[in-house]
Amino acid sequence: MKHIAILRQPFFNMVLSGEKTIESRWSMHKVAPYGKVKVGDLILLKETGKDVTATARVKDVKYYELTPFVAEDIKMNFGKEIGIDKFENWEVYAHKNYCTLIWLEDVKKIDPIQVPRSNGAGWIVVKD
């Protein structure tokens, strides 16, 4: 399956540079990518307001139902790879109900691909 992940800065550049190796998505409800992404899936990477300009493959994925303890455990164990130190307000994320961690591999720049606007969605599942 294919996905489009919309990333803000500095996270987009951190993925491209290899500094950020885990994409995290935090939500109140079970929305994509929670339960939708699997190992081997292709992710089209799009910086907010721009075209898709990179791709990555899913190396591993884990889904979490969050408690304050689980959120803190994710922060302690994966924070550096997620880029949590760049989050504007960690407490907002720590109080969500669900988290998807996606380990990325084979990150590559590509020629720009135009895709329809996401209308605020941060993740889009693309049917094959």
Side-chain angles (χ1 to χ4, degrees):
M1 188 170 295
K2 287 186 205 171
H3 307 266
I4 300 172
I6 295 94
L7 294 97
R8 315 182 266 119
Q9 287 295 359
F11 303 107
F12 184 83
N13 285 345
M14 291 170 67
V15 168
L16 291 182
S17 72
E19 180 182 354
K20 178 177 168 62
T21 57
I22 301 173
E23 176 58 16
S24 66
R25 296 296 166 126
W26 307 75
S27 62
M28 295 304 290
H29 305 284
K30 291 181 181 178
V31 296
Y34 193 93
K36 304 289 185 192
V37 65
K38 65 184 188 314
V39 173
D41 282 359
L42 179 68
I43 302 174
L44 304 174
L45 302 170
K46 178 185 179 311
E47 184 180 349
T48 304
K50 299 188 178 177
D51 294 335
V52 170
T53 55
T55 62
R57 286 272 173 205
V58 177
K59 180 178 181 180
D60 195 10
V61 62
K62 293 192 185 321
Y63 304 108
Y64 297 90
E65 291 193 19
L66 295 174
T67 65
F69 175 79
V70 172
E72 194 60 32
D73 192 54
I74 291 169
K75 180 181 179 185
M76 295 301 297
N77 289 310
F78 306 113
K80 183 175 180 355
E81 296 89 349
I82 293 170
I84 284 178
D85 62 319
K86 304 287 193 292
F87 284 22
E88 291 173 15
N89 183 354
W90 163 247
E91 291 304 313
V92 170
Y93 297 90
H95 289 95
K96 301 286 185 177
N97 294 327
Y98 302 96
C99 178
T100 304
L101 297 185
I102 304 161
W103 280 256
L104 304 173
E105 66 180 355
D106 299 327
V107 177
K108 299 175 188 165
K109 285 188 173 186
I110 61 168
D111 290 333
I113 300 171
Q114 287 188 329
V115 294
R117 291 183 50 91
S118 67
N119 294 321
W123 193 276
I124 301 167
V125 178
V126 179
K127 304 293 182 204
D128 284 332

